[in-house]
């Protein structure tokens, strides 16, 4: 081969790019370690914290033979800097800027109110308009695409910026703190582990306990049933107590309080970092009537009046500037006074339940606050309460949802059907979400909602900081423009810790956030953040020097984008003088808009936002999206007793195709009962079980219809092979088929299944062998322990074709 003029290897074999990268990393790490040695030599006892883990100093060899004549060296121990505060970050889910009373909303949140009175309210904090992206940015201090979390984990793709896998060069804040002498714990929602890595096989690299948290108690996905959650303690599945009053919000608070007390009792001089992230107030809106009935009648005036009243309160509280106008309501949201009486009655109750859910969450957070106060450490605890990881959710569509699984599967719900279940709303038999009009109201004074990344309705969130020892001001408002990536550098600064150049052997990408510490005691401090891009599923925007440009590519309730990406209509706002983004200046200042669009493209290229992916349901299919699939091309799986909680994204996909379940069991004398195999639960799924000893199969279509095929005869004692064959009709997703049930090779029953679930069986319930955990697919049995099979299961196989 002819050697290029660019080959400066001097005849040696050139390094491959990966080898060169490793060599440069090792060289940089070597320099850092050399710096450690030099610093420790120059200042004995001082810790060089820019390389983590902190290196133990070299020790002089001992030459004394007799221990009685030798002096023991000082013990090496990594401690946090003297006076470093405890840090608690609370992150609520799907709460709008105008929901909490603290920011002018109609929902009583006394804990947030009290912390604000003793600390600071931030009225210009922004997030990423979707949950996983915001959480990734918060935990790491880098933008969500730098985390490869361009959207939620369930729709990751093959492109950098969207792979769902956090790079080793993006170490999380809790890992930095842990390696600097903090104890760390996380409670509640995680949603940062790639969906195909959530099985018992891992890998566990991005689970909380390998992301810097020594303790984790919560759920891995995007949402959970508050009455029957699928939980982990570390990496171990939690068996829920047999408590009819169980609610996850209370459970996670109890766990957080217990951990804090334990940690402070054992090591009172060691600071702690806690990430407290409830599932509230994301759907399903689950709360007891004790809470929801507190709001009876309080939303009868409707969402249009709510917006007006919220804005008036916001102006009165100084949350928004005097003269702020309501941004125009989206055309897809009906006027309240044009709704039918039935629609008003339904929608008002939906909001009552949501409000009760929010107030209950704040109450539980109040219990956590009191526990910290009772320990006597609240004075030196930086308590950051972020009231929303994105704007209020409009994913309930025009009418709201009795069962949110209908939304994921494109099944419309009628007002009439929802009204039949109104008295159950918020209870264990529901999986509800409110109508989109309430999301727009909850995001007042802005126009849009969650998912709409270019509008402050999707990105602005109320936030409170409380730290008696470090914040002199009380009850003040801070209006500097901030972004969620700013929290991590803020925590490091107040903890007196440097940003680490290297963590666990990997050179780190710098923080992309700006510390907010400069705002704590200076209300008039000039903004230090000048530019921030936004992008979620094609909705995009750019903030730069007080201006905001954006395009609404697709509203959450719209089935497809409004235009192709190159034909989108952009708007322009002077955010310095138009707080609510009510006046579009694109027509009068085209040059400024063009400049802003150029800034967006520059930032998008810099942070791996490109190419933009605006696909929706297609991305739920791993093969189409290009992400890994744990099952790969497998067409069968063999299962054994004890295998439970296998989440849909780690399990074989039986949707929209023919399948066969084969179970080999042994029936004892006296017969057997219970579940042999189930996937999903009350709100969608299928189950093979024995009822009165008779083999039975139930297919639950998104909680709205159940199809059951059952043998007329009970099984006799002894070994038996039960087979359920589902012959899919074909012709597209969600079609029906024929279910045939056989025992020992002889058909015993057959029946039609008119419709099947096309896209998602359940976001929070898995597949189980020998029982049906969490909620029951069929009304023939009770979920959990009581559903366990009373015979013996040798194995169960599932084959798809």
């Amino acid at each position: 081969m002819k050697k290029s003029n660019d080959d400066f290897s001097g005849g040696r074999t050139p390094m491959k790019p990966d080898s060169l990268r490793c060599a440069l990393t090792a060289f940089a790490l070597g320099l850092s370690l050399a710096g450690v040695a030099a610093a420790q030599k120059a200042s004995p006892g001082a810790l060089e914290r820019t390389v983590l883990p902190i290196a133990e100093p070299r020790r002089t060899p001992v030459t004394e033979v007799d221990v009685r004549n030798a002096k023991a060296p000082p013990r090496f121990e990594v401690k946090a800097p003297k006076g470093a505060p405890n840090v608690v970050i609370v992150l609520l889910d799907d709460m709008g800027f105008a929901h909490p009373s603290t920011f002018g909303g109609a929902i009583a949140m006394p804990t947030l109110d009290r912390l604000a009175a003793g600390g600071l309210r931030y009225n210009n904090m922004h997030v990423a308009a979707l949950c996983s992206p915001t959480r990734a940015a918060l935990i790491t201090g880098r933008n969500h695409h730098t985390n490869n979390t361009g959207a939620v984990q369930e729709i990751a793709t093959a492109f950098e910026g969207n792979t769902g896998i956090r790079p080793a060069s993006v170490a999380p804040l809790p890992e930095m703190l842990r390696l600097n002498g903090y104890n760390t714990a996380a409670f509640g929602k995680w949603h940062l582990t790639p969906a195909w890595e959530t099985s018992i096989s891992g890998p566990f690299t991005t689970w909380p306990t390998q992301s810097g948290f020594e303790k984790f108690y919560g759920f891995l996905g995007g949402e959970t049933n508050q009455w029957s959650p699928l939980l982990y303690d570390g990496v171990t599945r939690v068996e829920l107590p047999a408590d009819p009053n169980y609610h996850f919000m209370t459970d996670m608070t109890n766990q957080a309080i217990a951990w804090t007390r334990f940690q402070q009792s054992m090591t009172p001089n060691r600071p702690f970092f806690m990430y407290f992230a409830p599932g509230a107030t994301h759907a399903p809106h689950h709360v007891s009537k004790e809470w929801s009935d507190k709001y009876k009648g309080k939303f009868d005036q409707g969402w249009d009046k709510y917006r007006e009243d919220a804005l008036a309160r916001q102006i009165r509280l100084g949350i928004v500037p005097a003269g702020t106008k309501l941004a125009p309501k989206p055309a897809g949201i009906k006027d309240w006074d044009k709704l039918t009486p039935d629609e008003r009655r339904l929608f008002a109750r939906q909001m009552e339940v949501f409000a009760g859910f929010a107030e209950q969450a704040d109450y539980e957070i109040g219990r956590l606050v009191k526990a910290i106060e009772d320990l006597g450490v609240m004075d030196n605890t930086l308590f950051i309460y972020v009231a929303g990881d994105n704007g209020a959710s409009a994913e309930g569509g025009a009418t709201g949802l009795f069962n949110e699984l209908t939304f994921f599967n494109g099944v419309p719900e009628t007002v009439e059907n929802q009204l039949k279940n109104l008295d159950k709303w918020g209870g264990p038999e529901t999986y509800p979400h409110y109508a989109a009009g309430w999301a727009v109201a909850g995001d007042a004074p802005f126009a849009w909602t969650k998912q709409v990344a270019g509008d402050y309705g999707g990105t602005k969130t109320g936030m409170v900081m409380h730290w008696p020892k470090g914040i002199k001001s009380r009850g003040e408002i801070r209006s500097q423009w901030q972004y969620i990536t700013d929290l991590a550098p803020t925590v490091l600064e107040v903890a007196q810790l440097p940003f680490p150049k290297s963590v666990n052997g990997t050179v780190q990408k710098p923080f992309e956030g700006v510390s907010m510490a400069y705002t704590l005691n200076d209300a008039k401090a000039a903004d230090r953040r000048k530019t921030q891009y936004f992008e979620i599923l094609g909705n995009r925007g750019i903030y730069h020097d007080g201006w905001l440009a954006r395009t609404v590519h697709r509203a959450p309730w719209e089935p497809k984008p409004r235009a192709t990406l190159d034909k989108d209509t952009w708007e322009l706002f002077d955010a310095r003088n138009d707080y609510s983004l009510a006046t579009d200046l694109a027509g009068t200042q085209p040059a400024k808009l063009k400049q802003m669009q150029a800034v967006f493209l520059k930032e998008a290229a810099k942070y791996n936002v490109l190419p933009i992916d605006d696909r929706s349901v297609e991305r739920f299919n791993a093969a189409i999206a290009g992400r890994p699939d744990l099952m790969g091309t497998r067409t069968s799986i063999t299962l054994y007793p004890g295998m439970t909680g296998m989440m849909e994204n780690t399990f074989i996909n039986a949707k929209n195709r023919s399948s066969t379940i084969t179970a080999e069991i042994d029936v004892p004398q006296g017969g057997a009962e219970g579940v042999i195999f189930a996937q999903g639960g009350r709100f969608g799924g299928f189950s093979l079980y024995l009822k009165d000893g008779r083999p039975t199969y139930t297919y639950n279509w998104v909680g709205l219809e159940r199809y059951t095929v059952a043998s007329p005869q009970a099984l006799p004692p002894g070994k038996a092979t039960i087979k359920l064959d589902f012959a899919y009709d074909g012709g597209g997703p969600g079609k029906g088929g024929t279910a045939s049930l056989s025992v020992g090779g002889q058909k015993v029953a057959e029946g039609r299944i008119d419709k099947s679930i096309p896209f998602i069986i359940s976001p929070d319930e898995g597949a189980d062998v020998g029982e049906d955990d969490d909620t029951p697919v069929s009304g023939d049995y009770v979920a959990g322990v009581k559903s366990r099979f009373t015979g013996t299961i040798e194995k169960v196989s599932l084959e798809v074709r």
Side-chain angles (χ1 to χ4, degrees), residues 36-37 40-41 44-47 54-63 71-78:
V36 170
Q40 290 176 342
K41 183 176 181 181
L47 294 180
I54 297 169
E56 186 169 349
R58 293 178 181 175
R59 301 200 181 277
T60 304
V62 177
T63 57
K71 183 180 179 181
R75 177 176 179 269
F76 175 73
E77 183 180 7
V78 175

Side-chain angles (χ1 to χ4, degrees), residues 662 695 709-713 715 720-725 739-750:
T662 304
V709 178
S711 169
Q713 301 294 328
L715 293 177
T721 298
I722 303 172
K723 183 176 290 188
L724 186 286
D725 186 76
S740 300
L741 192 61
S742 64
V743 176
Q746 298 297 313
K747 184 186 293 186
V748 295
E750 183 175 279

Side-chain angles (χ1 to χ4, degrees), residues 77-95:
E77 183 180 7
V78 175
K79 293 183 178 180
K82 186 177 181 180
N86 305 308
V87 179
V88 177
I89 298 180
V90 172
L91 180 66
L92 292 184
D93 204 335
D94 281 9
M95 176 163 282

